[in-house]
C-alpha cells in the first residue's frame, strides 16, 4: 500500500516541520509539501505530530518459554500502540539464547509473530547462570548484544572474558549490574518507605558497586559497554566520571525511576521491579543525568507477569512492570509538559540516542524505511491497564492522567496499529 500523510508536524533533521510524507514500497519516498496524492491512500493528520518509530532496547517478550505471561504477538502489538518500531528483547527465556540452537527458537517466533522490529540479545553465560561463557561467536550475527539481564555477572574474571570476546565480535555488553552478596533478601529500596512499613530493603551499592567494577574492566578491555536500568545517584556519578575519562559507556533508565520515588510506593505488586524505585535524591540525580547527557536513553524494561504473580504484595510478588503502551505519554506529561526538558530531547532519548548506540531505528528521511508513528499531543487520557494490549497489567502508572496519545504506527510502510476512533 502507498500512503500520503498530509498536514503533519514532522520531526526530521532534529526539528519539526509542517510537511507531507509519501510512503511507498516500505520506504519514505518523499518529504516536503504539498505532495499530490496520485494513487496513494491520503491520510489527513490534522496537525498531529509524526515521529520516527521509537526504540526501546530493553524489553521482556517472554517467548519462548513463558507465554502465559506475554507473547511476542501481544507485546509487539502493544509496542506499536505505544509508538515503538524497534525492540531489544532480553534473554531470560526458556531456552535461554546461549547458543545458536537456542537462539533459533526465538528467531523463529519473532519471524512468525512480531508486529514491529525485534532484535534479540544473546546471553553472556550459559543459562544466565554465570558459570560458563555462552557461545557468543555463534550468536553474534543475529543479536543486538550480550546480556544476562535479570542477573548480574558475579565473577569479574567471567565478565572480563565476556568483554574481550564481545569486543572482538563488535558487539556491546549490556549489563544488569547487581551484586548478590549485598541483596540480603531485600525487595524494595532500602529507604524511608521500607523503614516505615517494615520491608527489607535493597541497598544502592548492590547496583553501583558492580558498575564500578565493570567500568574498570571496560578500561582494561576496550569493550563497548551499556548499563541497564540505572536507578541510583551513585551510579550516575560513576558513569558521568567514566564518560569524562573517555570510557566507551552508555546507560539507560526507565520512566518510573524518573517520575517516582520510594514514598510513592503502595502495598501492591505493581510497584515492584528490579532495580527498585529509589529515593527522591536518586530521582533528582537521574533527571540531572538526563539533562547533562550522562544518561543516554529511556527504556521501559517492559516485564510482564501473570495477574497471580503480581497479586502478592510488595514482598512476594515477582519483580517487573509493564510500560510499552504508556511510556511516551507519562514522560511527555511529566517531563515535557512539566517544563523539565524539550520534546526534541525526549525524542532523542527515546529514538535517536538508542538508534545511534545500537544501530537500530531510522530517521524520517527520503530513502529510509517507513517506520514512523503519529501522536496527538493534545489528547488527554487515563492509564487503564485493563485496556492494554499487552498480557501484562501491572504498572505503577495505573490511574495517571496523561497527555499525548498514539494515533497510528507504520512499520515498513504498512499500518501496524491504528487508533479505533469509532
Amino acid at each position: 500500500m502507498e500512503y500520503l500523510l498530509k498536514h503533519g508536524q514532522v520531526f526530521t533533521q532534529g526539528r519539526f516541520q509542517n510537511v507531507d510524507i509519501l510512503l511507498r514500497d516500505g520506504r519514505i519516498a518523499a518529504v516536503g509539501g504539498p505532495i499530490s496524492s496520485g494513487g496513494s491512500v491520503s491520510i489527513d493528520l490534522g496537525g498531529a505530530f509524526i515521529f520516527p518509530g521509537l526504540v526501546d532496547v530493553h524489553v521482556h517478550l517472554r517467548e519462548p518459554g513463558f507465554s502465559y505471561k506475554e507473547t511476542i504477538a501481544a507485546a509487539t502489538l502493544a509496542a506499536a500502540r505505544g509508538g515503538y518500531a524497534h525492540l531489544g528483547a532480553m534473554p531470560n527465556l526458556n531456552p535461554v539464547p546461549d547458543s545458536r540452537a537456542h537462539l533459533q527458537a526465538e528467531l523463529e517466533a519473532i519471524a512468525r509473530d512480531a508486529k514491529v522490529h525485534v532484535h534479540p540479545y544473546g546471553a553472556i553465560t550459559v543459562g544466565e547462570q554465570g558459570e560458563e561463557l555462552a557461545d557468543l561467536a555463534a550468536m553474534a550475527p543475529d543479536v543486538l548484544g550480550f546480556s544476562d539481564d535479570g542477573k548480574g555477572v558475579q565473577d569479574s574474571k567471567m565478565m572480563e572474558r565476556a568483554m574481550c570476546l564481545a569486543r572482538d565480535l563488535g558487539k556491546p555488553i549490556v549489563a544488569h549490574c547487581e551484586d548478590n552478596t549485598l541483596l540480603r533478601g531485600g525487595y524494595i529500596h532500602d529507604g524511608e518507605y521500607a523503614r516505615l512499613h517494615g520491608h527489607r530493603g535493597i541497598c544502592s551499592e548492590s547496583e553501583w558497586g558492580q558498575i564500578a567494577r565493570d567500568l574498570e574492566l571496560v578500561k582494561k578491555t576496550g569493550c563497548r559497554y551499556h548499563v541497564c536500568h540505572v536507578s541510583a545517584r551513585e551510579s550516575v556519578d560513576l558513569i558521568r566520571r567514566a564518560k569524562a575519562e573517555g570510557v566507551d559507556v552508555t546507560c539507560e533508565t526507565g520512566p518510573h525511576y524518573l517520575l517516582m520515588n520510594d514514598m510513592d510506593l503502595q502495598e501492591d505488586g505493581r510497584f515492584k521491579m528490579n532495580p527498585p524505585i529509589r529515593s527522591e535524591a536518586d530521582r533528582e540525580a537521574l533527571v540531572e543525568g538526563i539533562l547533562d547527557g550522562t544518561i543516554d536513553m529511556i527504556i521501559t524494561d517492559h516485564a510482564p507477569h501473570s495477574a497471580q504473580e503480581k497479586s502478592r504484595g510488595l514482598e512476594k510478588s515477582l519483580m517487573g512492570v509493564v510500560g510499552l503502551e504508556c511510556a511516551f505519554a507519562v514522560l511527555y506529561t511529566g517531563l515535557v509538559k512539566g517544563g523539565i526538558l524539550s520534546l526534541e530531547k525526549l525524542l532523542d532519548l527515546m529514538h535517536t540516542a538508542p538508534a545511534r548506540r545500537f544501530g537500530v531505528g531510522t530517521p524520517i528521511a527520503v530513502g529510509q524505511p517507513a517506520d514512523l508513528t503519529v501522536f496527538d499531543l493534545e489528547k488527554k487520557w487515563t492509564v487503564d491497564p485493563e485496556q492494554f494490549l499487552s498480557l501484562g497489567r501491572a504498572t505503577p502508572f495505573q490511574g495517571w492522567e496523561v497527555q499525548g496519545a498514539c494515533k497510528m504506527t507504520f512499520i515498513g510502510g504498512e499500518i501496524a496499529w491504528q487508533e479505533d476512533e469509532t
Side-chain angles (χ1 to χ4, degrees):
M1 188 72 72
E2 182 176 301
Y3 292 96
L4 177 60
L5 308 183
K6 298 187 69 67
H7 306 130
Q9 300 189 59
V10 180
F11 185 74
T12 180
Q13 299 177 344
R15 60 191 178 92
F16 288 98
Q17 304 178 53
N18 293 314
V19 294
D20 298 344
I21 300 180
L22 179 64
L23 311 182
R24 179 190 295 142
D25 297 329
R27 294 191 174 269
I28 298 171
V31 179
I35 300 172
S36 60
S37 61
S40 61
V41 175
S42 182
I43 302 175
D44 190 335
L45 298 179
F49 287 75
I50 306 176
F51 306 146
L54 304 179
V55 179
D56 186 345
V57 297
H58 191 140
V59 300
H60 299 265
L61 302 185
R62 303 303 193 201
E63 254 193 312
F66 303 97
S67 57
Y68 72 94
K69 298 174 186 278
E70 184 71 290
T71 65
I72 289 172
T76 55
L77 187 59
R81 186 187 193 183
Y84 288 94
H86 291 267
L87 304 177
M90 288 299 174
N92 48 346
L93 303 168
N94 185 18
V96 171
D98 52 15
S99 66
R100 178 67 210 186
H102 287 168
L103 175 64
Q104 189 61 35
E106 184 182 3
L107 291 173
E108 290 173 359
I110 291 167
R112 182 182 65 243
D113 293 331
K115 307 298 190 293
V116 302
H117 303 291
V118 175
H119 313 275
Y121 288 96
I124 295 173
T125 65
V126 173
E128 292 194 315
Q129 295 301 304
E131 297 176 357
E132 180 183 352
L133 205 60
D135 192 351
L136 276 57
M139 295 185 289
D142 294 298
V143 298
L144 201 56
F146 301 106
S147 180
D148 270 6
D149 187 58
K151 300 178 181 179
V153 176
Q154 302 302 304
D155 183 79
S156 61
K157 292 296 184 184
M158 179 68 71
M159 182 57 99
E160 183 177 349
R161 288 175 56 208
M163 286 184 176
C164 288
L165 185 50
R167 175 201 64 207
D168 294 343
L169 293 169
K171 295 290 181 178
I173 290 290
V174 179
H176 174 113
C177 292
E178 185 173 39
D179 184 339
N180 292 349
T181 66
L182 298 176
L183 297 181
R184 305 185 184 100
Y187 46 87
I188 64 170
H189 175 59
D190 186 16
E192 185 177 2
Y193 187 91
R195 289 189 291 272
L196 288 173
H197 297 272
H199 291 295
R200 293 189 299 279
I202 300 174
C203 69
S204 297
E205 188 179 357
S206 64
E207 173 181 296
W208 65 256
Q210 201 165 87
I211 292 175
R213 179 203 73 180
D214 282 0
L215 289 172
E216 291 304 312
L217 293 176
V218 175
K219 294 176 187 178
K220 183 177 180 181
T221 63
C223 172
R224 287 168 55 204
Y225 180 69
H226 180 80
V227 187
C228 293
H229 42 48
V230 170
S231 69
R233 60 187 183 274
E234 296 92 342
S235 302
V236 179
D237 290 341
L238 283 165
I239 295 165
R240 181 182 289 116
R241 289 198 296 270
K243 286 189 170 189
E245 295 169 5
V247 177
D248 189 0
V249 56
T250 54
C251 67
E252 62 188 40
T253 195
H256 35 286
Y257 305 121
L258 291 166
L259 298 172
M260 307 179 79
N261 63 48
D262 66 329
M263 292 307 293
D264 293 315
L265 297 181
Q266 298 176 27
E267 296 296 310
D268 190 314
R270 66 189 177 91
F271 291 88
K272 186 177 182 182
M273 73 289 294
N274 189 25
I277 295 168
R278 299 196 187 272
S279 71
E280 177 63 11
D282 292 297
R283 189 196 70 80
E284 291 174 350
L286 293 170
V287 171
E288 182 60 33
I290 287 287
L291 293 174
D292 71 12
T294 300
I295 297 174
D296 302 271
M297 60 198 75
I298 300 175
I299 51 82
T300 63
D301 196 3
H302 179 85
H305 294 290
S306 70
Q308 182 180 20
E309 290 167 334
K310 294 298 289 182
S311 67
R312 302 165 184 162
L314 285 177
E315 180 179 0
K316 295 183 179 180
S317 291
L318 295 187
M319 289 179 167
V321 296
V322 299
L324 285 169
E325 293 166 80
C326 63
F328 179 87
V330 298
L331 291 163
Y332 177 73
T333 304
L335 298 180
V336 178
K337 299 297 290 184
I340 295 170
L341 51 78
S342 68
L343 176 57
E344 290 83 354
K345 177 62 175 176
L346 182 59
L347 291 174
D348 181 74
L349 293 161
M350 299 185 76
H351 169 268
T352 310
R356 183 170 56 245
R357 181 59 162 173
F358 287 90
V360 297
T362 51
I364 295 177
V366 173
Q368 294 289 342
D371 300 327
L372 42 85
T373 185
V374 179
F375 270 83
D376 178 354
L377 295 185
E378 298 301 316
K379 185 172 182 177
K380 297 180 180 180
W381 56 286
T382 301
V383 178
D384 178 6
E386 292 306 310
Q387 302 301 315
F388 284 175
L389 298 176
S390 167
L391 302 186
R393 298 288 186 266
T395 173
F397 300 115
Q398 179 179 324
W400 281 37
E401 300 293 329
V402 295
Q403 187 170 331
C406 183
K407 295 174 66 68
M408 63 180 66
T409 297
F410 291 84
I411 302 296
E414 299 296 333
I415 297 174
W417 181 84
Q418 184 171 10
E419 180 182 46
D420 183 1
E421 298 180 327
T422 59

